[in-house]
């Protein structure tokens, strides 16, 4: 049996984001996507390097609790594997969104911020709010 290399932070983030987006049965959905060639980027690279049998035993590392000041980090993975990371430093602060083409700031709830990230994914930098 060949020992597999440990996952990088980006790979853990990609799988965690996929799991959050796909709910309780995320592993079976990811395996199905892998078998039907519906993943790209980081997720497809993991399928090629680690494979479906590895996925069965994989468990998502426990998230670090948000700090007392209310800071949060949310990662969303685009279909092509690009990572979109939203950071909120405090309860009254806007989200800072970092992605391959740049960054943006967004004030709003988490669902509104996720919708904004979906616009950034589909429309690219044209959907940016701040210059």
């Amino acid at each position: 049996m060949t020992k597999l290399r440990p996952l990088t932070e980006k790979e853990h983030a990609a799988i965690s984001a996929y799991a959050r987006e796909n709910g309780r049965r995320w592993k079976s959905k990811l395996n199905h996507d892998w078998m039907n060639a519906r993943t790209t980027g980081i997720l497809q690279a993991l399928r090629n390097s680690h494979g479906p049998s590895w996925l069965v035993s994989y468990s998502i590392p426990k998230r670090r609790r948000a700090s007392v000041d209310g800071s949060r980090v949310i990662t969303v993975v685009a279909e092509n594997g690009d990572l979109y990371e939203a950071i909120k430093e405090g309860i009254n602060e806007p989200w800072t969104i970092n992605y391959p083409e740049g960054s943006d700031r967004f004030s709003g709830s988490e669902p509104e911020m996720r919708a904004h990230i979906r616009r950034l994914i589909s429309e690219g930098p044209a959907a940016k709010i701040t210059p």
Side-chain angles (χ1 to χ4, degrees):
M1 181 176 194
T2 304
K3 185 171 179 170
L4 299 171
R5 66 167 175 75
L7 268 58
T8 65
E9 286 295 320
K10 283 188 175 188
E11 289 168 331
H12 281 297
I15 290 185
S16 295
Y18 184 93
R20 280 190 301 280
E21 295 290 324
N22 289 280
R24 198 179 95 218
R25 297 186 38 84
W26 70 270
K27 280 188 183 183
S28 64
K29 289 179 182 181
L30 179 56
N31 190 40
H32 192 259
D33 285 349
W34 278 356
M35 294 301 120
N36 292 289
R38 287 193 298 251
T39 57
T40 58
I42 292 172
L43 293 175
Q44 185 61 28
L46 274 174
R47 188 238 186 261
N48 294 340
S49 66
H50 287 64
S53 59
W54 162 84
L55 182 61
V56 172
S57 63
Y58 177 79
S59 60
I60 296 173
K62 296 218 184 288
R63 295 174 76 184
R64 285 179 279 173
R65 298 178 66 88
S67 64
V68 177
D69 66 359
S71 65
R72 300 197 51 202
V73 177
I74 294 172
T75 305
V76 176
V77 182
E79 285 185 20
N80 67 359
D82 286 347
L83 292 178
Y84 290 70
E85 185 176 70
I87 302 166
K88 187 170 182 131
E89 295 294 335
I91 294 170
N92 297 320
E93 297 295 320
W95 294 92
T96 300
I97 304 168
N98 296 304
Y99 55 100
E101 292 89 16
S103 64
D104 198 6
R105 291 175 62 83
F106 183 81
S107 294
S109 66
E110 181 179 332
E112 292 168 331
M113 181 272 305
R114 287 181 181 274
H116 180 62
I117 288 177
R118 285 192 292 277
R119 281 191 302 279
L120 287 169
I121 291 170
S122 65
E123 299 172 22
K128 279 182 68 167
I129 293 176
T130 60

